Structures are given as structure tokens and as C-alpha cells.
Amino acid sequence: MNTLDRSKISRGFIRKSALLIVLFALLIPAPAMAAETQGMMGLNPTTFFLLFLVISTLIGIIAVLAGVGGGVIFTPLMMGFTPIDGLVIRGTGLFVAMTGALVAARPFLKRGLANIRLLYFAAVPYALFAVIGALLAVYIKQTMGVTGEAYVRLALGILVILIAMLFIFAGNRIEYPEVKHVDGFTKRVGLAMAYWEESLGSVVQYQVTRAWLGMILFAGVGLVSGLFGLGAGWAMVPVLNLVMMAPLKVAAASSKVLIGIGDTAAIWPYIMQGTIFPLFAVPCMIGLILGTIIGAKIMLRVRAGFVRYLIIGIMFLSGARLIQQSLTMLGYL
Amino acid sequence: MQEVDKKVDSKPEPPFAGVVYGEITYWVVLAGMLISLSGVIMILTTESNYIDSACLLNDLWAGKDPGEIWETCTGVHEEGHWYLNKLNTGDGIAMLGIALSCLAAVMGVWLSSFALLRSREMLFFVFSVITAIILTASSTGLINVGH
């Protein structure tokens, strides 16, 4: 999809979204709002909905400008800076990462940019271990209580700081990696494909390699994603691009589609345990998708470098806060 | 640098299985989003709610775990597909929309696997069926942790 198409789609979507929000506001009669019982911190449910809609929109905008998925910021930020239960936030984090990825997948598949063979090859370990991760999260909550929550927060805090460091030190991705040798296993699986590269005006036929290593790494990424309720683009793109040597565009597109599949597998154990509350999940989902679209629109006009450092700062702060919370819960602070 | 084939100047057709998956997930998620938004509008504007909103917000902000929130606000800890019996309430409709969005990839992968079978990509058909089985088992609660 070229920039013009994307811009037209974004304009259309923003217009439709704005219309939806206006309709939504008009549908809420003022007397009903006034009559509502006050909830959290004196906020009524409508104000709560709008507050989280705005917060999630901002997270979506910042995430896009920094080139990451919203899920990776949503979960640590909400866990670090709101008192809401960790399991509720992780389930909601998975839900928002999943819906964002599913909506974004369509153009990548329509253009043949996402490699369907690579997708299903990676989806088996990724989805399987994402479910295991989600089950583990519920199991820890049920059997270990506060201590389990403290260890999850500690591990997530360390992970978020590591991801922030990954953004600083491992930024060198390769647009068209050179595949010198394709191992026997990858050859037998047959993951090579071709796509039309608009900027070159030609077909790019590419190979991938080290499929066996990719499979192991996808399992690990799935486990982390399901356990902590994070999107997995931060790990998936490097695995596809730097380990399996897929072209950068193919890696980014395939990663987006894969997150939709893996997070779908992981979200259900959270739903089955009743951890998703619509009044919290729906504004976060709509806000993050809206933010992603608005962010893509304003991306052309701002300095991405500054936003990248802003997001790295947010991640360090969230990570440090999560570690501090866990140490307090364990009685060390 | 990967091989850039300058001789081939026609765009390759995108794999049908991918297009099927992309279209299904996109429209099902969109439908789910609209249903869930309608449910939330109902929660905010009518009295026909299953979970008391003020109680939910208070308990959420008090950091209570999901089981406690359910117990306090509805008297029962709802699990599984609870919303199917509460479709006359805003919460039930909103949760139905969320569940529909979460089913988008399950439907997409199953139908995409049939497209792979039709194009005789047998190995990837097997991979897609395994993925579809994992997603189905997860969404039906076959893979779950006991309480």
C-alpha cells in the first residue's frame, strides 16, 4: 500500500472514528450521566471510560511514533502506575495487543508481504507456548497469591528494562539480509517466497534460514507474551529479520500477523477466569487503535528520535517501578 | 542482499490463504468492536447492567483480584462464557463483542487452512490445522486451569 493509499485510509478511518465518538457522546444523555453512582476516586463510569480512552489513545500515539506496538507499553505502564490487579491488566494488555494486530494484518496479507508459510510454521510453537504462558499466569495467581504477583512484577520489570536496552543497543536491523547458507531443515520446510517491492518496482525473491532456531525462539517469545500480557513485536521482528534473515518488511508484516494469532491463543485462559471487564477493556482497545492511526498520521511531522528516547525513558521508569513494587510486596523495602 | 529479480516485472499474486485470513479477521474484529461499544453504551446509559459499574470501578481501583470483584459486585465468581446467559444486559453484550473479536483469528485460521488444502500446500495445511486446534481448544476452555 503506498503512502497516498495509507493516508486516504487513515483520513477515512479518523473521520469515521471521530463520528463514532461524537455519536457516542450524543447517545449518553446528560441526566443519565448526572444520576450515575460515583465510583473510583469519585469518577462516574462515563468519566472513567473517557479517561482510559484518552490515556490509551496517547499510549497508541507514542507507541507508533517510537515504532513499537502499544501492548509493550500498555501493560508495564498500567501495572506500574495504577493499583488495578496485575492479572486484569495483563489480560486486557493481551486483548488490546491482539485486536490492534488483527486489524493491522489485512493490508499485509492482501499485498503478500506477510509470508503465509512462515506464519503457520511459527504459529505452532508461538501459539502453543502463549497458551502455556497464560495458563501459568492464572496458575501463579491462584496458587501463589501475593508472592506470585510479586515475582511476576519483578520478572516483568527486569524484562521491560531489557527490552528498553534492546531498543538502545540493537537497533541495527537489515533491510535485505544476505542468506549465505540455507540449512537442510529450512530447505525441506520450504519457507522461501517472493513479494512485490513497491519502492524498487520489482519482485524480491527471498530465502530464510535457521528455521529450527527460529522455532525455539518463537516458543520462548510466546511464553513471555502469554505470561506477561505483552505484544511480541519487539522480539518477533529481530527473530525473523536477524536470526531467520527475512527481509525487514516481511519480518515486520509477518510479526504483526503472528501476534494476532498467538495473542488469540493466550487471551482465552484470561477470559475463562473472568479477568476481562468490558468497562475497562473496551476503552483501552478503542483508544489504542485510534492512537495507532493518529500516530501514523502525525509521524511524518515529528522527530522520531525524540519520541524513541521518550518511550525508552517510559520503559525504564515502568521497569524500575515494577521492581520496586515487587520488592515492597516481598518485604525487602 | 537478497535476490532482487529485475526480470520479473509483474506483481506476484498474494497467497489466497493469507487473503482469506486477513479479510475474515478484519471484519470479525470490526463487528466485535462495534458490538462491544454498543454494550458499553448500554452500561453507561441504562440500568440493565449485570455488574454494578460503581462497585466495579471501586474494586478495580482498590486492586482487588477478579474473583473478589465478581463476588462483591454480582455475588458469584463468573467464569467461562458467562456472557451468553446475560445477553439482555450491557455487560453481556459488551463481553460478547470482546469474545467475538477474540474468535476472529480462530475462524480465520480454520478457513485459511482450507484454502491451503485447496492450493495443495500440504505441510502448511498441517501446520495451520494444528494452530487452529490450539486456538479452538483455548477458546472453548478445553485447555484451562482448574479453580
Side-chain angles (χ1 to χ4, degrees), chain A residues 36 83 120 142 203 205 265 272 274, chain B residues 5 44 63 70 80-81 112 138 146:
Chain A
E36 274 165 2
Y120 283 127
Q142 283 177 359
V203 173
Q205 287 178 324
M272 290 295 171
Chain B
D5 193 344
L44 299 177
W70 280 109
H81 299 279
S112 163
S138 176

Side-chain angles (χ1 to χ4, degrees), chain B residues 28-75:
Chain B
V28 173
V29 167
L30 223 58
M33 278 169 69
L34 286 175
I35 294 171
S36 60
L37 190 61
S38 317
V40 169
I41 290 172
M42 216 169 136
I43 294 173
L44 299 177
T45 57
T46 68
E47 293 296 312
S48 56
N49 297 330
Y50 179 47
I51 311 168
D52 176 52
S53 302
C55 170
L56 170 69
L57 299 189
N58 275 326
D59 284 6
L60 265 182
W61 212 250
K64 288 189 181 170
D65 70 41
E68 285 179 279
I69 296 176
W70 280 109
E71 288 287 348
T72 322
C73 300
T74 67

Side-chain angles (χ1 to χ4, degrees), chain B residues 4-146:
Chain B
V4 179
D5 193 344
K6 293 274 185 190
K7 287 172 214 142
V8 186
D9 54 2
S10 61
K11 291 183 184 181
E13 280 289 310
F16 182 58
V19 177
V20 168
Y21 174 82
E23 291 297 318
I24 289 169
T25 52
Y26 181 81
W27 291 110
V28 173
V29 167
L30 223 58
M33 278 169 69
L34 286 175
I35 294 171
S36 60
L37 190 61
S38 317
V40 169
I41 290 172
M42 216 169 136
I43 294 173
L44 299 177
T45 57
T46 68
E47 293 296 312
S48 56
N49 297 330
Y50 179 47
I51 311 168
D52 176 52
S53 302
C55 170
L56 170 69
L57 299 189
N58 275 326
D59 284 6
L60 265 182
W61 212 250
K64 288 189 181 170
D65 70 41
E68 285 179 279
I69 296 176
W70 280 109
E71 288 287 348
T72 322
C73 300
T74 67
V76 234
H77 181 185
E78 293 283 13
E79 290 180 336
H81 299 279
W82 61 268
Y83 49 91
L84 293 176
N85 298 320
K86 305 284 173 203
L87 291 177
N88 55 342
T89 65
D91 302 283
I93 293 173
M95 196 60 213
L96 175 75
I98 290 174
L100 186 64
S101 301
C102 297
L103 278 175
V106 186
M107 299 179 206
V109 173
W110 272 117
L111 289 170
S112 163
S113 69
F114 295 128
L116 282 168
L117 180 66
R118 206 183 74 163
S119 53
R120 300 193 186 284
E121 297 242 30
M122 295 317 285
L123 180 63
F124 299 101
F125 165 69
V126 172
F127 285 149
S128 65
V129 169
I130 296 171
T131 308
I133 290 170
I134 295 169
L135 297 186
T136 309
S138 176
S139 62
T140 51
L142 281 175
I143 309 177
N144 206 352
V145 209

Side-chain angles (χ1 to χ4, degrees), chain A residues 155-208:
Chain A
L156 180 60
I158 293 168
L159 180 70
V160 168
I161 289 173
L162 287 176
I163 297 170
M165 286 167 79
L166 185 80
F167 287 157
I168 299 172
F169 299 112
N172 297 330
R173 289 169 185 178
I174 313 161
E175 205 166 348
Y176 299 104
E178 188 178 350
V179 181
K180 288 181 180 148
H181 170 72
V182 180
D183 59 280
F185 176 69
T186 312
K187 254 185 214 161
R188 271 196 297 279
V189 177
L191 299 170
M193 278 192 88
Y195 74 96
W196 176 261
E197 177 52 66
E198 207 69 57
S199 62
L200 299 172
S202 61
V203 173
V204 174
Q205 287 178 324
Y206 59 91
Q207 297 279 343
V208 290

